[in-house]
Amino acid sequence: MKVSEFDFELPEPLIAQTPLEQRSASRLLCVDRHSGALSERVFVELVDLLRPGDCLVLNDTQVIKARLFAFKPTGGRVEILVERVIHTTIATAWLRASKPVAPGVKLRLDDYLIEVIDRQRTPGQPSLFTLSFSSPVLEVLQSRGHVPLPPYIHRHDSSNDEERYQTVFAKNPGAVAAPTAGLHFDSSSLQTIRDAGVHIAYVTLHVGAGTFQPVRAIDVEGHEL
């Protein structure tokens, strides 16, 4: 199956740049698995599609402020998107700069130092870097980080995004992208679902920046997730 078979036109004005005031007011497309029929609903009506005894599984990962802007010794700016915190002061990250950043370079972010330890090259893919921070990674992110909004959101992050680009049940820090389907739940809709006799269970799956990587393969089978 060719990747091109999934191509479609998505007009720019249809890509919302800010969330609705009420989470559960989002639209919901329902597919009848038996007939294939489509129906347009509102997310708050999800409870009508569930039955007593069903189990709804939610991802309780918490988005960290994973985007940083540091500077080379030469003054050039480097954008850092932390992919995974692998030790208290060690993380893997994607780097973007006007010129390539080599291992051994020490980046400065205010009072913090970030040393580039290693560069992992994968053919056809951007390089992933290993970074060593002068202070705990999560401390630096909390102090100087920005909310890592998706690439299709064409604006700077705001204080409102710290709450809205996060599920109401987020608990375990580690994701650099939100589990977006979960963003539509609010406390009221969750309680309505519980009252309907539906069990809610939680798993923790940290979403990485790879979720935004384009599919470069010609055939679907050739794309490695």
Side-chain angles (χ1 to χ4, degrees):
M1 182 178 289
K2 302 294 184 183
V3 172
S4 59
E5 295 180 47
F6 294 88
D7 288 347
F8 63 94
E9 182 67 28
L10 179 59
E12 194 75 22
L14 295 184
I15 304 176
Q17 297 298 302
T18 56
L20 291 175
E21 184 175 345
Q22 184 178 345
R23 289 176 183 260
S24 58
S26 301
R27 295 161 69 186
L28 176 68
L29 180 63
C30 178
V31 183
D32 187 302
R33 64 177 176 173
H34 299 296
S35 66
L38 304 177
S39 60
E40 291 192 29
R41 308 179 72 128
V42 181
F43 191 81
V44 73
E45 298 174 347
L46 176 64
V47 65
D48 299 331
L49 305 175
L50 301 172
R51 298 169 297 182
D54 282 350
C55 180
L56 177 65
V57 182
L58 302 175
N59 185 2
D60 64 6
T61 184
Q62 186 179 86
V63 179
I64 56 179
K65 294 195 291 184
R67 180 167 278 120
L68 300 167
F69 297 97
F71 293 89
K72 300 178 186 177
T74 57
R77 193 171 85 151
V78 179
E79 179 180 342
I80 301 171
L81 180 60
V82 171
E83 170 70 21
R84 186 75 69 233
V85 178
I86 56 179
H87 188 267
T88 305
T89 58
I90 305 294
T92 55
W94 310 96
L95 303 186
R96 183 159 58 181
S98 58
K99 295 181 180 179
V101 182
V105 171
K106 292 184 179 180
L107 308 173
R108 180 167 291 279
L109 176 58
D110 297 332
D111 296 332
Y112 301 108
L113 280 178
I114 305 170
E115 183 176 358
V116 180
I117 302 298
D118 187 29
R119 178 180 182 178
Q120 304 169 31
R121 298 174 183 267
T122 302
Q125 299 289 337
S127 295
L128 190 63
F129 293 81
T130 302
L131 306 179
S132 175
F133 289 69
S134 60
S135 295
V137 179
L138 292 179
E139 174 189 308
V140 177
L141 296 180
Q142 186 58 37
S143 174
R144 297 291 186 269
H146 295 262
V147 177
L149 296 177
Y152 49 81
I153 302 297
H154 306 303
R155 61 176 175 80
H156 295 296
D157 62 307
S158 66
S159 56
N160 185 52
D161 293 315
E162 292 188 36
E163 176 194 355
R164 293 305 305 272
Y165 194 58
Q166 196 82 264
T167 63
V168 297
F169 42 82
K171 179 181 178 182
N172 298 304
V176 300
T180 49
L183 293 175
H184 307 296
F185 290 97
D186 54 26
S187 298
S188 177
S189 60
L190 287 171
Q191 189 57 51
T192 299
I193 289 171
R194 290 190 187 94
D195 293 343
V198 176
H199 177 66
I200 297 180
Y202 296 92
V203 297
T204 302
L205 176 63
H206 297 318
V207 187
T211 190
F212 300 125
Q213 291 295 318
V215 178
R216 295 183 172 88
I218 296 176
D219 296 304
V220 172
E221 294 81 0
H223 178 62
E224 188 172 321
L225 294 173

